[in-house]
Amino acid sequence: MPLLLAGMLALSPAALAERLPIRVYTVDDGLAGDEIDSILQDSRGYLWIGTDSGLSRFDGSRFVSYDPRQGLPSPHVTALLETSKGGLLAGTTGGLARLELEPSSPANIFMPVPGSLRRLGRIAALLADGSSTWLADSTAGGGLFRLHEAGGRIELEEVKRETGKSVAGATSLALDGAGGLWVGGQAGLLHRFADGRWSECPLLPASQAGIAALLLDAQRRLWIATSEVLFVLQTPPAGDPCHSANSSVRRFDSASGFAGMRRSGDLLQTHDGKVWMATTAGLTVFDGQGLRTYTRRNGLLPDELTGLAEDRDGNLWAGTHSHGLMRLAHNGFLTYSAAEETGGPGVAEIFEDSQANLYVWGGDRLHSKLFHFDGEQLQDVTPEVVERAGSSGRGRHQILMPDASGEIWLGTAAGIWRLPKVAAPASLKRIPKAFWKAPPETGEVSRLFEDSHGRLWVASLGAGTGPKTFFSRWDRGSGRFTPEAAVERLGRGAPSAFAEDPYGNLWIGFSAGGLARMRGDAADLFLTEGGVATGSINDLFVDSRRRLWVASANGGVIRMEDLDAPQPRTTVYTGAQGLSSDRILCVTEDRRGLIYLGHGRGIDQLDPATGRIRTLTAADGLPSRVVNVAFRAHDGSLWFGTPSGPSRYLPEVHRTEAPPPIFLSAVRVGGVPTPLPPLGLHDFSGLTLPADRNQVEVRFIGISFASGAGLRYQYKQDGSRSGWSEPRTERSVLLGNLAPGTYRFLFRAVTPDNVVSPAPASLSFTLLPPFWQRWWFVLLVASAAAMIGWALHRAQVSRLLELERVRTRIAADLHDDLSSSLSRISILSELGRRRMADAEEATILDQIGETARELIEATGDIVWAIDTRRGDLESLLARIRRFAGDLLEGRGVSVLFAAPPQSAEIALRPEMKRDLYLVLKEALHNAGKHAQAQNVWIEVVATGRELVAEVRDDGVGFESNGCSGNGHSGNGLRNLKERAARLGGTLAVDSAPGEGTRVRLSLRL
């Protein structure tokens, strides 16, 4: 039983004028039918409702219905039972059906149990005891049946008594706690022992033999309900309870509060131990002492109740014969009315006196009354003088209770009434008359407020054709109304709300908009520039943390802090921050510091610390969407005034929302649905998707029946750093434009109190890459590329070998043909010169010989440069060493040579070999021709990928100018620079007169 209902029962022995927090569901909400026979909540959390028009499944938000089109034998579902494997058995008026957890098609969700269609009539009860499933067929030719599984098939067998007689007309079943079974029917009560023996229980008179319902509670008491009497049998731990001296029977009839059951109604024991009964009169509860019944006057539908269930959130569910399904909200609002009244009064004000008596001022537009709440209902305590005076029906009458004296002040159209302090609220009806008429310029009194100094402030609507007074202070001694000029000068018209802050400032809200702070005789006006929204100020409230809450007609609620500062800090809450409405009518606070904002759509509960907002509506028991008065009583309960009466809410009652389970209800891949079980899946894996279907739509169901629950949903990719998505109300998500890979997405539901699913649902799948990204295609392409590369490489190697052969052949031809011919020319020119006597002709022959020798040398250089067999640094240095020796040592110049030890391992490209050789040769040629040196040093150093070659002498030197050199060597040095540039190296020439010359070349290998 809901905890609030437990508290309600303790306060209300007769359950007189309390309206329960009831929400009704009908076919208009998606229910299969309005005639309810059975209700069940399964282990997943779904609520199943058997109706005369089909079976409905409810998740707290939406109904899904089944009928014969999905395999039910009959649309009239009379009994429900969850199997041990999580399946469902549905008993109907035409047989028994089993829910297929993995149906072959949407038309085969339910499958008939073999033999049940032809053998069973109306199935009145289903019961499982762990090893057997029992069925009670209430038709005249029916009886008791048992299901058992043999060879993978479910078979139905009739269970008869020892005499072979059928248990005809069985209507109800209950376990006995010892392996046996209680069977109720038209013939009375039978007991079947665990060993198969039967015993009749002669507890009921013959006229009361028809049994409508049975229940074995947690205390081993057997509850036996008939159409007239309720019996409670206290069974012994062992033996025959029907004939045991230790058994005791307690009897309840109409005199003790039991109205009777005319049909197979329900008995239910809730988690708090109370026993509830769906009776012909309404909803009856046994609280351990006696029976109490709730009827139409308490908000129940005017109909016979036919089924009961309690969900995991503590809500009580009751079916009706023709008006649908009722939910009694756990910890919801209780609404009160006066005795003999079916509805509560329209509330204008709620307050307490100095003795914590709670009063409600309200009524209709023409007649307002004062009510006292006596703990059960509202008692009319309107003073006779006020009743005789009546009211004009204009404005909003204000009542307040000055703390200092305990008197009650009432502002009316005529003036101010004083209701003196009384010992008992009922004595207010006959009190001495005390009245002060308001001046003509004041008009109708609309608001009253007493500050901490005992001063009474009066707000009025103004009247007459002359000057109008909207705000004044009333003097108790003289009864005079003194206008407050500082506030009147603000020109905002009639005040609509008052509050006093802890600093002694009086805050005044105006119906024309704006907020004033009055200090002494001065008043400051705060308009929109200060964060106060436009529109009428409907209420002002100072909370426990010295913050002022301003309820406005158009701009939500404004929180003001530093109330004594010249410009207080403001925070605005509107629909943009999550409020259900921007038109706030009233404000209050509970003991935990949560703020409650009444408006035209219910109540918003705001946590200022987190900004989280929860909305309380008719689903929580509010009798009206319009909430215009809010008040916290001394006991911490919150009272809200509505046009349909005052409602009480207990914010400090422990509220624990059950974590909402979540299931995947549908998966669509590329727009094509993927088959899922009818009850959804918690984890779905093994999907392999082609590359062209990379959009996955996932739909899910969260289950929660908490009062006013509005589930939101989150999802995330497992392993992603981004975490959970922002909560949203949509029950689906589209996972689009996914890259190839393996994915696992998680989904969870979140309640308004931030309670999340106990375990998130998961969807795992692999999205295949396009065929050109598959491993086999990549391997094929790589193999083809490798083969092409190998073929190209072979062709290149062939070309290089051919080039090598050509270069070798050219080198051989140059050496064999050109060099030999030039050598022959040189020799012949020398012989010719010796035979000629003419000196001039001999000179010509000398020039021919010299040219031939130069060509021989150049040809040798070319042959050496293109010979690939001599492509290492060692070969180059050997040739330079020979050249230096031939050029310099014959002239008496000493040559010193240094080379790296690994020169044979350093390969040179043909172009680099030739240019490097020519650079060194030119440097040595310049040293031999111009330097007049005694020593020449040749040094080559190789470090990593860098080669440094240096030629240095100790000759006469010259005035260096970059690489241009002097007039004798400028062309040679310019050639050096050009060759160094072709090598991609750096050339440095350092020289000075008398200090020799150094040529240094640095390049990358």
Side-chain angles (χ1 to χ4, degrees), residues 217-377:
D217 67 15
Q219 292 76 35
R220 292 182 57 85
R221 295 174 300 188
L222 181 65
W223 296 74
I224 309 159
T226 74
S227 59
E228 298 177 4
V229 182
L230 173 69
F231 298 91
V232 182
L233 172 63
Q234 183 68 59
T235 62
D240 184 354
C242 295
H243 302 88
S244 173
N246 295 324
S247 298
S248 61
V249 178
R250 187 174 179 181
R251 186 177 186 275
F252 297 90
D253 55 19
S254 58
S256 51
F258 182 71
M261 294 183 181
R262 286 196 296 267
R263 51 183 293 166
S264 299
D266 267 7
L267 291 169
L268 173 71
Q269 185 175 36
T270 50
H271 70 277
D272 60 359
K274 292 183 171 59
V275 177
W276 294 81
M277 306 159 216
T279 67
T280 57
L283 186 61
T284 302
V285 60
F286 178 79
D287 63 353
Q289 301 298 323
L291 300 180
R292 301 169 186 178
T293 299
Y294 296 88
T295 65
R296 177 179 180 181
R297 190 141 180 270
N298 303 105
L300 297 180
L301 292 172
D303 200 354
E304 180 182 352
L305 303 187
T306 57
L308 293 176
E310 181 189 28
D311 64 36
R312 293 189 296 182
D313 288 305
N315 302 304
L316 190 65
W317 297 81
T320 67
H321 184 258
S322 59
H323 286 77
L325 179 68
M326 292 188 298
R327 182 188 69 182
L328 280 71
H330 178 48
N331 299 326
F333 290 84
L334 292 176
T335 303
Y336 296 91
S337 62
E340 307 304 326
E341 296 287 340
T342 58
V347 179
E349 205 65 47
I350 302 174
F351 67 96
E352 284 182 321
D353 65 15
S354 58
Q355 299 176 349
N357 292 309
L358 187 92
Y359 293 91
V360 175
W361 173 250
D364 56 32
R365 296 185 68 252
L366 296 178
H367 300 89
S368 295
K369 293 184 177 182
L370 181 64
F371 297 94
H372 168 246
F373 178 63
D374 63 4
E376 301 173 3
Q377 60 188 356

Side-chain angles (χ1 to χ4, degrees), residues 867-912:
D867 189 354
T868 57
R869 295 169 295 178
R870 300 169 183 176
D872 55 83
L873 180 61
E874 184 179 47
S875 173
L876 183 147
L877 295 180
R879 188 170 184 83
I880 285 294
R881 189 182 298 112
R882 289 195 300 270
F883 175 79
D886 294 342
L887 177 65
L888 298 176
E889 290 178 354
R891 299 179 182 181
V893 179
S894 175
V895 179
L896 302 175
F897 194 87
Q902 72 276 23
S903 57
E905 302 173 1
I906 300 176
L908 300 175
R909 300 189 305 275
E911 298 83 359
M912 178 182 289

Side-chain angles (χ1 to χ4, degrees), residues 350-570:
I350 302 174
F351 67 96
E352 284 182 321
D353 65 15
S354 58
Q355 299 176 349
N357 292 309
L358 187 92
Y359 293 91
V360 175
W361 173 250
D364 56 32
R365 296 185 68 252
L366 296 178
H367 300 89
S368 295
K369 293 184 177 182
L370 181 64
F371 297 94
H372 168 246
F373 178 63
D374 63 4
E376 301 173 3
Q377 60 188 356
L378 301 180
Q379 298 286 346
D380 185 355
V381 294
T382 309
E384 294 177 354
V385 291
V386 176
E387 287 183 337
R388 287 195 299 268
S391 65
S392 66
R394 296 184 294 115
R396 178 185 179 188
H397 303 290
Q398 171 71 30
I399 300 178
L400 70 139
M401 183 279 301
D403 293 335
S405 63
E407 298 174 337
I408 298 175
W409 300 91
L410 170 64
T412 69
I416 299 176
W417 293 89
R418 185 189 70 186
L419 310 181
K421 178 180 179 180
V422 294
S427 60
L428 282 172
K429 294 188 69 69
R430 293 177 296 278
I431 60 172
K433 177 180 178 180
F435 174 74
W436 290 266
K437 182 177 177 60
E441 64 274 12
T442 298
E444 181 179 351
V445 175
S446 59
R447 302 286 294 181
L448 298 176
F449 182 77
E450 184 185 39
D451 63 20
S452 59
H453 301 288
R455 295 174 295 191
L456 192 65
W457 302 93
V458 181
S460 55
L461 301 180
T465 58
K468 298 181 179 180
T469 299
F470 297 102
F471 182 60
S472 57
R473 184 176 61 193
W474 183 74
D475 183 79
R476 293 174 186 246
S478 62
R480 296 180 56 187
F481 293 80
T482 305
E484 286 295 328
V487 176
E488 292 281 341
R489 280 195 294 269
L490 298 177
R492 307 305 298 179
S496 54
F498 294 96
E500 184 179 12
D501 66 27
Y503 308 102
N505 301 314
L506 179 64
W507 292 85
I508 308 167
F510 297 96
S511 58
L515 181 67
R517 177 178 60 189
M518 187 173 179
R519 304 188 195 184
D521 294 330
D524 301 320
L525 181 63
F526 299 90
L527 295 173
T528 53
E529 297 81 12
V532 179
T534 58
S536 174
I537 304 302
N538 294 323
D539 197 11
L540 297 174
F541 180 80
V542 178
D543 67 14
S544 58
R545 297 189 178 183
R546 301 188 173 189
R547 299 174 297 197
L548 177 66
W549 295 84
V550 184
S552 69
N554 299 329
V557 65
I558 300 94
R559 185 183 74 195
M560 303 183 70
E561 301 175 76
D562 298 332
L563 300 180
D564 208 32
Q567 189 65 43
R569 293 183 290 115
T570 60

Side-chain angles (χ1 to χ4, degrees), residues 616-668:
L616 306 172
T617 64
D620 303 276
L622 271 176
S624 170
R625 291 183 295 178
V626 178
V627 178
N628 49 30
V629 178
F631 176 76
R632 188 178 81 191
H634 73 285
D635 61 358
S637 62
L638 301 183
W639 288 80
F640 296 95
T642 75
S644 300
S647 293
R648 184 176 62 167
Y649 184 70
L650 304 180
E652 297 175 9
V653 171
H654 182 64
R655 288 171 167 80
T656 302
E657 288 186 347
I662 187 169
F663 300 96
L664 305 180
S665 59
V667 176
R668 301 175 68 90

Side-chain angles (χ1 to χ4, degrees), residues 41 51 88 163 178 276 454 480 531 693 712 738 867 943 948 993:
Q41 185 173 44
T51 78
L88 185 74
T163 59
W276 294 81
R480 296 180 56 187
R693 298 172 66 185
R712 297 166 296 161
L738 299 173
D867 189 354
T943 57
V948 178

